[in-house]
Amino acid sequence: VTHDQEEALTMSDTVVVMKDGEIQQIGTPQDIYNEPTNAFVADFIGESNIIDGMMKKDYLVEFCGVEFECVDSGFGSMQPIDVVIRPEDISLSSVQNSCLAGIVESVIFKGVHYEMTVACNGIQWLIHSTKCEEVGTQVGLSFGPEDIHIMNKLVPFDTNKVEGIVTDTDTIEFLGVSFTRENLGLEAETPVILTIHPKDIEVVSEDISDLTVYLESLIYKGAHNELIVYTHERELIVHSQNDEQVATDIGVKFNFDHIIIEPSLKKEEG
């Protein structure tokens, strides 16, 4: 949180968080800090552990391969969501008494607490504690249902589904980009749906990119940065290790070999 943000939170009874001219959340500083409506608000208001999760059902969420009880409901069943857990809400405990365990990778003394990063289940967890553990120590991570905050995702999907068309034998075009796939077995002019996983889109310099896109937001998800980018036609999710400047154009390349191609129903319906 910047100095100006801290001052605004201290002086205000009501805070309005906006993104691209749209209101994301209105509430007291405590409401916004403790119950952020989405990852943008959680990231804006302070340091957080924001990770991908799955709402199994009301009051039960899964993340890091483990199911946890929570206090949230109304998100639907088997719904992809974002989970936020504040660094100060995680306690270090014995491995035997914890559902999650990891290795301490760094420790910084911040005056009133120690700031530690713990590698656990592929996630870099940020933890604030008055108890210090040495680098290399195996520790358990403990938190209660009330410490787990569930949020809707910034976009209502966790993988990219893009419309394309077969332009010639073994050639597909989408978003102004074309690639070939041998033995495609589809006629020219067949509309298709392409499934593109966020990790199969790489951030590169614009001069070697397949496509130039606008970077609308970037949220650190513990194992990667989740980028939401816009083309002139639609938005895409990208997973990257790169830190990029938000509100700028960036270049991306697609791993064409990993794209899943399926005929669209549009041709049949038409």
Side-chain angles (χ1 to χ4, degrees):
V1 182
T2 67
H3 174 73
D4 290 341
Q5 290 168 345
E6 287 179 341
E7 191 173 69
L9 290 175
T10 301
M11 297 176 61
S12 302
D13 295 323
T14 300
V15 176
V16 179
V17 181
M18 301 184 69
K19 172 175 171 287
D20 297 331
E22 295 185 2
I23 294 175
Q24 302 294 305
Q25 188 170 356
I26 301 176
T28 66
Q30 293 84 358
D31 289 340
I32 289 178
Y33 185 81
N34 292 321
E35 296 293 340
T37 190
N38 58 38
F40 175 82
V41 176
D43 186 63
F44 173 83
I45 214 69
E47 293 179 312
S48 300
N49 296 287
I50 305 173
I51 56 179
D52 296 317
M54 179 70 69
M55 201 70 183
K56 306 289 284 191
K57 60 181 182 179
D58 286 352
Y59 311 115
L60 185 66
V61 64
E62 180 181 334
F63 55 91
C64 290
V66 181
E67 292 185 352
F68 296 91
E69 293 182 358
C70 63
V71 297
D72 294 280
S73 62
F75 288 87
S77 60
M78 303 308 294
Q79 176 70 29
I81 45 83
D82 283 332
V83 176
V84 59
I85 304 178
R86 295 293 185 186
E88 65 271 19
D89 291 334
I90 302 174
S91 300
L92 299 180
S93 58
S94 67
V95 174
Q96 293 78 12
N97 296 327
S98 305
C99 294
L100 297 176
I103 302 296
V104 177
E105 292 199 331
S106 70
V107 179
I108 301 174
F109 182 55
K110 288 297 188 74
V112 295
H113 63 257
Y114 295 93
E115 180 175 280
M116 290 168 278
T117 56
V118 177
C120 171
N121 291 21
I123 302 293
Q124 298 290 323
W125 291 84
L126 183 65
I127 299 171
H128 292 169
S129 175
T130 56
K131 176 184 177 182
C132 178
E133 296 287 354
E134 294 184 359
V135 172
T137 303
Q138 187 175 30
V139 295
L141 279 58
S142 297
F143 39 82
E146 68 282 354
D147 300 319
I148 301 171
H149 306 288
I150 308 300
M151 308 177 297
N152 287 311
K153 286 186 169 291
L154 286 173
V155 291
F157 53 88
D158 55 6
T159 193
N160 301 293
K161 299 280 188 178
V162 182
E163 294 182 349
I165 191 165
V166 178
T167 59
D168 199 352
T169 304
D170 299 339
T171 302
I172 295 171
E173 182 176 312
F174 70 101
L175 302 178
V177 178
S178 63
F179 69 101
T180 60
R181 178 71 61 83
E182 293 183 1
N183 303 316
L184 187 58
L186 296 174
E187 298 178 358
E189 304 304 318
T190 299
V192 292
I193 296 294
L194 309 177
T195 301
I196 309 173
H197 193 279
K199 70 181 180 181
D200 290 324
I201 306 177
E202 181 185 2
V203 177
V204 297
S205 61
E206 292 183 57
D207 59 331
I208 61 170
S209 66
D210 296 320
L211 187 67
T212 297
V213 295
Y214 176 79
L215 177 55
E216 194 269 343
S217 76
L218 182 150
I219 304 293
Y220 182 58
K221 287 293 191 72
H224 57 261
N225 290 318
E226 181 177 272
L227 286 60
I228 298 177
V229 302
Y230 284 86
T231 73
H232 64 285
E233 297 182 37
R234 59 153 297 153
E235 57 192 0
L236 301 170
I237 299 178
V238 179
H239 290 176
S240 175
Q241 300 298 325
N242 295 7
D243 284 322
E244 303 290 340
Q245 180 63 48
V246 174
T248 60
D249 289 337
I250 61 173
V252 295
K253 285 186 73 69
F254 298 93
N255 188 336
F256 296 118
D257 292 338
H258 288 183
I259 294 177
I260 299 172
I261 305 166
E262 299 172 296
S264 172
L265 297 178
K266 283 189 175 182
K267 186 174 181 179
E268 298 177 10
E269 293 172 351

